[in-house]
Amino acid sequence: MDSIKYYGGAVLAYIGDAYLEVLVRKSLIKSGITDTGTLTKMAKNIVCAKKQSELADKLVSLLDENESDVYRLGRNYKVNSKPKHSSIVEYHRASGFEAVFGYLHLSDDNKRAEELFDKIFKDEVERVISEVKNG
């Protein structure tokens, strides 16, 4: 078992959330949209527990054994508070999702993280960009 996993699911999800936010923002600014308020709204549609939970099955199907272990570690950590904008199931699935990206980032495997991001989020990023540009 890799030593980074010893940070625990909550810490891996914490850093994964921040790293995913950066990946989303980088992909959105490539659209040419420059209004930061609009970009922030677009990002919130992508980086939220509900959306990550929806995309979790797609992510899990792409993971190797080690990454799957990290997903379960993040998904299964005990939550001490009730999520505000998602169900507890969605929150747990999103935490597993974020933990994988946190693990990859802390492992300096950003190439793998970006590969997974592109496969999972490409359609979502294109959807929110299209919605903004087309009205």
Side-chain angles (χ1 to χ4, degrees):
M1 186 181 239
D2 193 282
S3 63
I4 291 173
K5 290 181 193 173
Y6 289 108
Y7 282 120
V11 171
L12 293 174
Y14 173 77
I15 193 68
D17 177 54
Y19 184 54
L20 277 167
E21 182 78 26
V22 169
L23 291 173
V24 167
R25 288 178 181 215
K26 279 175 55 177
S27 63
L28 290 174
I29 62 171
K30 292 176 185 175
S31 70
I33 297 168
T34 58
D35 179 73
T36 56
T38 300
L39 290 166
T40 298
K41 288 177 189 173
M42 293 166 67
K44 285 185 180 187
N45 285 325
I46 300 171
V47 182
C48 64
K50 188 172 188 71
K51 181 56 66 183
Q52 290 173 358
S53 179
E54 288 174 16
L55 297 172
D57 291 333
K58 192 173 184 180
L59 172 71
V60 169
S61 71
L62 299 170
L63 300 179
D64 64 26
E65 184 178 336
N66 195 42
E67 294 162 347
S68 293
D69 289 346
V70 171
Y71 173 80
R72 285 188 294 279
L73 181 69
R75 183 194 64 200
N76 294 337
Y77 86 86
K78 183 174 169 50
V79 178
N80 294 323
S81 61
K82 186 177 183 240
K84 293 179 185 176
H85 302 291
S86 65
S87 72
I88 194 71
V89 171
E90 289 170 330
Y91 186 81
H92 280 289
R93 288 169 53 94
S95 294
F97 193 102
E98 292 169 343
V100 170
F101 282 89
Y103 169 76
L104 292 170
H105 182 64
L106 291 174
S107 299
D108 291 323
D109 198 353
N110 293 325
K111 182 178 178 185
R112 172 68 173 152
E114 290 173 9
E115 172 189 317
L116 289 172
F117 179 85
D118 289 343
K119 289 179 180 178
I120 296 164
F121 282 101
K122 183 179 180 190
D123 292 341
E124 289 304 313
V125 169
E126 289 175 358
R127 179 186 60 79
V128 296
I129 291 170
S130 177
E131 285 175 1
V132 168
K133 286 188 171 183
N134 296 324

